[in-house]
Amino acid sequence: SMLISDQDRPMYFSNLIGGLANNLAGPEPLKLAFHGFVVIVGGLILSGAVNTSIIGANGVLNRVAEDGVLLPWFRHPHMKWGTTHRMVNLIAILQIATILYSNGNMAILAGAYAFGVVWSFFFKALGVTTLRFQRSDQEYKVPVNLRIGGREIPIGLMIITLLLGCIAMTNLFTKELATKYGIAFTVGLFIIFKIG
């Protein structure tokens, strides 16, 4: 807020870092070169995020295919690299389709991403909490465990799960656009897995 003036700030709401680069002191060619540098660095950072998401989604889909939910065809290894190339290609196509479907609208994409992240954290915490009631021999435990009559109650883990659940519910009721897209995506995946 101190670098970009109040009257110029609305122009850069969708590109604040570009706005910072344009409002630095110095000659215009140097500011333009710095803006180009910012774009290149941003592209490299986002490339890493896309790569990480492909690797994570590939791992999840491999486990789903191992459980027999997906056809074995998806797990076919690449002849040269040994990767599950059909899954990687499918994930890349779905990512491109998501961007095209949303017309690159950053509000929709960011909201849908936040919806997915928050709910995945909550469901992972819920799953870990459920497993803690089934097994108490785990090597790593969240602090604050209460032992009553030979049973261990994971109070710390339950608090974390409850907090994540509250955040997820807040996200559900306050982010209308993200909720619509997130629920539609979840229902779509559920139908695909049920049919498959």
Side-chain angles (χ1 to χ4, degrees):
S1 65
M2 293 189 326
L3 292 176
I4 304 175
S5 64
D6 291 339
Q7 64 268 19
D8 289 342
R9 198 172 304 126
M11 288 180 4
Y12 298 112
F13 276 149
S14 61
N15 184 11
L16 284 174
I17 296 177
L20 289 174
N22 285 340
N23 283 282
L24 293 173
E28 283 300 318
L30 195 57
K31 288 198 291 189
L32 186 62
F34 186 67
H35 195 151
F37 175 73
V38 166
V39 169
I40 291 169
V41 169
L44 290 173
I45 290 170
L46 290 175
S47 297
V50 168
N51 182 45
T52 302
S53 72
I54 290 173
I55 291 169
N58 187 38
V60 169
L61 288 177
N62 268 308
R63 287 188 290 279
V64 168
E66 286 170 6
D67 291 342
V69 176
L70 289 177
L71 298 172
W73 179 85
F74 285 104
R75 296 190 65 221
H76 182 266
H78 190 273
M79 292 177 73
K80 184 174 182 180
W81 309 109
T83 59
T84 50
H85 62 102
R86 291 175 180 160
M87 280 190 204
V88 172
N89 291 337
L90 176 68
I91 293 162
I93 289 167
L94 288 173
Q95 287 177 335
I96 292 167
T98 302
I99 292 168
L100 292 176
Y101 179 72
S102 68
N103 290 325
N105 185 329
M106 293 304 292
I108 292 172
L109 292 171
Y113 180 77
F115 184 91
V117 167
V118 167
W119 281 95
S120 68
F121 283 173
F122 169 64
F123 283 124
K124 283 179 185 178
L126 191 62
V128 170
T129 304
T130 304
L131 287 174
R132 280 287 279 119
F133 280 105
Q134 294 175 2
R135 294 179 49 192
S136 60
D137 60 336
Q138 284 132 347
E139 189 174 346
Y140 301 104
K141 296 179 184 176
V142 174
V144 189
N145 295 299
L146 186 64
R147 190 169 286 283
I148 299 175
R151 273 202 86 126
E152 198 171 65
I153 311 231
I155 303 291
L157 186 57
M158 289 167 57
I159 290 171
I160 291 170
T161 304
L162 182 66
L163 287 173
L164 287 170
C166 290
I167 293 169
M169 291 307 289
T170 302
N171 183 285
L172 181 69
F173 291 115
T174 59
K175 307 287 185 199
E176 185 180 328
L177 197 59
T179 300
K180 287 178 184 175
Y181 280 94
I183 289 174
F185 183 74
T186 304
V187 168
L189 279 180
F190 178 77
I191 290 169
I192 289 169
F193 286 144
K194 266 304 197 192
I195 292 170

